[in-house]
Structure formats: structure tokens, C-alpha cells
Amino acid sequence: MADTLTVHRAGLSVVQDLGRLGRSRYGLPVNGALDQYSARVANVLTGNDEGAPLLEITALGFACTPSAEVLIAVTGAPAEITVDDVPRPRWEPVVVRAGETIRVTRIRHGLRVYLAVHGSVESPYLLGSCAPDTILGFGRTLRDGDQLAIRTPFPPVDHPFSDIPLFRLNAPVPRFGESWTIDVTDGPDLAEFGDSAERLFRSEFTVTPQSNHIGLRMRGDVPRRTATGEVLSRGVPVGAVEVPAGDELLVLHRGRGVTAGYPVLAVVTSTGLSALGQARPGQSVRFRRRTVAEAVAAYRTQRADIDSLRTRVRTVFDALTPHPASE
């Protein structure tokens, strides 16, 4: 019988991965974890592949109990993490005994928390991904009482020195707060806004409650298009900052459709998208202009941080795993 996680309090949680890559040509949104960085790090901390299925917990509390000993890691927005009511650290691997209850409460500053389990969890796949798709009606939204099968049993790694700081992995933790600075590069229709385009970088915008995984709506001093020609429907990237008619900006996220007909003023960078995935309704957002070269450099730095963390995790796992004596 497979080891399981029994969900006691589901809140708003789904089984998630990094998305359905390469399917936009067929008209399918990429979807996947809105904070890709936090999701990747949670999996790396538990020794999983970066793209393995994990739990994405949005805004509300969550609780579950494993049937066997497991190794977990919790990343993403600041939250209270307890195991049988004992506080446990975030952004570090944590061993949980069979029958102990994991609770995630008081999610704050950001919006989403990621919980990875060593070995990952079972989930149905569609075109290479378990990422939910609300248009297709696909994906596993969790409910109280659900049981998630764990793919690979966790071998005990208790070690008398595992609490010594030598074994702290120092995963780089992003900044969370009540306001966000989001990096963007120039969009293809920037020139159509004339001097009005500078409002995007001078103004502060507020995330509205109508925001979701498809796109974030923001109120503020919205730039105005000065060109009068019609904008034809065309392919749009994840992160497109669109200016529809009205008083809101629309920033497309990972659940966006693949075509649209609004002018694109800017495009959020890869690193900026993860931060934007944590922006809560009511929080303020400022946009910061970056060149493509600067955006690529920031992404490479983030990738290097994850690769370095993976190396440290492997070193610790090797140190804690018993090796047979040589003959």
C-alpha cells in the first residue's frame, strides 16, 4: 500500500507543477505555479526534480497528515508552519513523522505557499503536466478528506548532527512585503503611447480583487494609447502588460489565453513574474524598466542560485545517507 498524505483542511490548494510548456502552439495556456521560483526551490530542498508535482496553497490555511515518515519543505509567502503544533522553519527541509499533522496558517505579505514532499505526489497528467487548467476543467483541486499517494517512500535520514548549522542550506529567500517592484522590458506597442508611457514607471498601481491566475487587474494612473489604428488579435506572451479601454492595467499571467487584441506596453521579466504571482489584492505595485540584457542577467543569477542550492542539498543527502562498508 502506498504512503499517503491525508488532507484535513484543504483551503484553496491544488496539485501543481511548472506548467504545460511548449503547448501554446496548440492554443493551450502554459499554467503552472505562479511563483515559479518558490516552487522550484521547494522541490530542490526535498531532493525532487524542479518540475515535480507539489502543493500550491493560496491565501487560506491548510493541514495534512502523512501515513509514513516524510521529508517536506515549505516555501513561498511568509506563513506559520507547525508539525503537531511545534513551529518548524520555512525554506528548509523538515522531517515529519507518520501521524504528525502539518499545518500552514497565517499566510501574509504574499499570496501563495508551496509544500513539496520528498518523492513527490501522484497526480493525473495532461500533455506532460499536472498543472490545473480552468478552461479545460483539468487538474486536482484538493478537498477535505482527500488522500494523495506519495510516489517514492522516504528513507529515514535522522542523523545526530543534523541540527548543527553546518546542515543549514541557506536557500535564497525573496523579499515579501506590502508593496512590489516588478521588472519589465519594453513591449512591442510602447511607441503607441507617446509620453503617456512614462506613467507606467512613475505611478503606483493597486492590485484589484478581480485578479487571478489568468491575469492581474490594476488600478492607477493608466497610460493612454495615442495611436488610433486598430490592434489586430495576435499571440501574446505570459507577462504582457496590456492597456484595455478603461481605467485598469491588465497583466497577463500563466493562465492567459495565447492571443489577444489589446496594445502591449511592456512585458514582465521571468523573475518579475514569480514576484507578481505573490501580489495580493490591495497591495501596491510599481514597475521598473529593464533592458533585455538586464532581464536575462537577473534570470541567470536566479538559476545559478537554484543550481548552487541543489549542489548543497545533494551534499547533505549524501552525508546523511548510510553507505555500505567497503569490502
Side-chain angles (χ1 to χ4, degrees):
M1 182 175 177
D3 297 335
T4 60
L5 286 179
T6 298
V7 177
H8 304 302
R9 181 183 180 189
L12 294 175
S13 57
V14 297
V15 179
Q16 186 67 275
D17 63 13
L18 298 182
R20 205 159 279 108
L21 303 177
R23 306 298 179 177
S24 293
R25 71 187 70 179
Y26 307 119
L28 291 177
V30 63
N31 286 302
L34 291 198
D35 181 352
Q36 295 264 301
Y37 176 75
S38 292
R40 290 176 186 273
V41 170
N43 269 323
V44 168
L45 286 170
T46 53
N48 294 337
D49 180 83
E50 289 180 29
L54 77 172
L55 306 188
E56 183 178 65
I57 302 161
T58 302
L60 303 179
F62 176 87
C64 68
T65 298
S67 65
E69 185 169 286
V70 294
L71 183 74
I72 68 167
V74 179
T75 63
E80 301 299 325
I81 313 301
T82 62
V83 175
D84 269 5
D85 299 325
V86 177
R88 302 308 301 268
R90 299 161 49 252
W91 297 85
E92 289 184 15
V94 173
V95 175
V96 180
R97 311 288 184 188
E100 293 182 332
T101 298
I102 305 161
R103 288 188 174 85
V104 179
T105 58
R106 294 193 62 224
I107 298 174
R108 55 197 185 274
H109 301 309
L111 191 59
R112 294 176 172 87
V113 165
Y114 294 87
L115 192 159
V117 181
H118 174 79
S120 189
V121 294
E122 294 287 357
S123 183
Y125 272 65
L126 174 66
L127 296 175
S129 172
C130 72
D133 188 306
T134 55
I135 304 300
L136 297 177
F138 174 82
R140 186 160 187 181
T141 298
L142 299 179
R143 294 181 172 86
D144 295 356
D146 279 356
Q147 288 192 330
L148 294 170
I150 300 172
R151 285 180 172 178
T152 306
F154 170 61
V157 294
D158 265 356
H159 190 285
F161 304 114
S162 59
D163 290 331
I164 295 177
L166 172 66
F167 289 91
R168 295 293 181 256
L169 293 164
N170 297 319
V173 181
R175 174 195 168 276
F176 291 86
E178 294 302 323
S179 62
W180 300 88
T181 299
I182 303 299
D183 288 347
V184 298
T185 57
D186 290 347
D189 303 317
L190 176 68
E192 297 187 8
F193 289 83
D195 294 340
S196 170
E198 289 304 312
R199 295 181 190 174
L200 184 69
F201 309 108
R202 293 198 309 259
S203 306
E204 188 173 82
F205 297 88
T206 302
V207 180
T208 74
Q210 288 71 40
S211 300
N212 56 24
H213 67 291
I214 295 174
L216 284 82
R217 294 184 179 275
M218 301 184 188
R219 286 192 299 266
D221 187 12
V222 177
R224 300 297 177 187
R225 183 170 178 254
T226 56
T228 57
E230 184 178 357
V231 178
L232 299 179
S233 183
R234 59 193 168 170
V236 290
V238 175
V241 180
E242 295 187 328
V243 187
D247 297 320
E248 290 183 328
L249 283 180
L250 177 59
V251 185
L252 302 184
H253 220 301
R254 300 184 65 81
R256 63 74 171 104
V258 298
T259 60
Y262 295 127
V264 178
L265 176 59
V267 179
V268 178
T269 67
S270 294
T271 54
L273 274 171
S274 286
L276 204 58
Q278 292 289 357
R280 300 174 69 103
Q283 289 188 324
S284 62
V285 171
R286 285 187 174 274
F287 293 99
R288 180 169 56 191
R289 198 175 200 166
R290 287 288 183 258
T291 65
V292 172
E294 289 171 329
V296 169
Y299 178 74
R300 287 176 174 169
T301 297
Q302 193 175 82
R303 285 298 323 165
D305 287 342
I306 294 174
D307 292 342
S308 177
L309 176 64
R310 184 187 299 108
T311 299
R312 297 196 297 275
V313 169
R314 286 175 178 168
T315 300
V316 171
F317 274 36
D318 286 344
L320 297 179
T321 302
H323 297 279
S326 58
E327 297 181 0

